[in-house]
């Protein structure tokens, strides 16, 4: 199993063009925090920042050094993905405190498997 920290900084490469498309900066989790639904490749633009994302279903190979996708067209602005408003970046949950229903502190989230 991989942790989100191990995935960070892996290259994303296009199979068809054979070129580097970027590096994984973070991963998106679904509403229940149970599945990886996308990859965050960073933002572009100075005034109108757009988050670049790839849906997990577009990744063809999860390699040790790089993840492979079919072509560069799979990189899309996050806002164009349906239900992307429900996605959560792993970096946004790191450091959150975990408590029981009674309020007893169990620990702090450091990483996600």
């Amino acid at each position: 199993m991989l942790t989100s920290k191990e995935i960070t900084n892996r290259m994303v490469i296009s199979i068809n063009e054979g070129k580097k498309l970027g590096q994984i900066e973070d991963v998106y989790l679904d509403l229940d925090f149970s599945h990886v639904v996308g990859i965050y490749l960073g933002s572009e633009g100075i005034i109108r920042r757009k988050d670049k994302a790839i849906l997990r279903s577009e990744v063809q190979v999860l390699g040790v050094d790089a993840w492979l996708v079919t072509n560069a067209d799979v990189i899309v602005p996050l806002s164009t993905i349906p239900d992307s408003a429900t996605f959560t970046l792993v970096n946004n949950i790191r450091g959150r405190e975990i408590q029981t229903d009674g309020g007893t502190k169990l620990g702090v989230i450091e990483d996600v498997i």
Side-chain angles (χ1 to χ4, degrees):
M1 288 190 208
L2 293 174
T3 66
S4 63
K5 287 182 182 178
E6 293 172 333
I7 294 169
T8 304
N9 296 324
R10 289 195 183 178
M11 290 187 295
V12 176
I13 298 174
S14 163
I15 295 171
N16 291 342
E17 292 99 10
K19 70 178 189 175
K20 180 180 172 182
L21 302 176
Q23 283 187 297
I24 299 172
E25 291 191 19
D26 204 352
V27 292
Y28 289 106
L29 301 176
D30 64 358
L31 187 61
D32 299 326
F33 303 139
S34 60
H35 293 90
V36 172
V37 291
I39 302 167
Y40 175 66
L41 296 178
S43 297
E44 64 183 6
I46 296 173
I47 297 172
R48 296 181 129 190
R49 307 278 303 157
K50 291 183 183 177
D51 292 333
K52 299 184 302 182
I54 299 174
L55 284 173
R56 168 58 186 92
S57 59
E58 298 289 349
V59 178
Q60 302 297 313
V61 178
L62 305 172
V64 175
D65 296 318
W67 286 13
L68 305 179
V69 296
T70 52
N71 56 47
D73 295 342
V74 299
I75 299 175
V76 295
L78 180 65
S79 59
T80 64
I81 299 174
D83 298 326
S84 63
T86 64
F87 296 175
T88 302
L89 286 171
V90 170
N91 279 335
N92 291 342
I93 62 171
R94 256 189 209 113
R96 284 191 189 177
E97 193 174 277
I98 304 295
Q99 298 179 353
T100 64
D101 290 336
T104 304
K105 181 180 176 180
L106 297 176
V108 176
I109 296 174
E110 290 291 326
D111 207 354
V112 175
I113 297 176

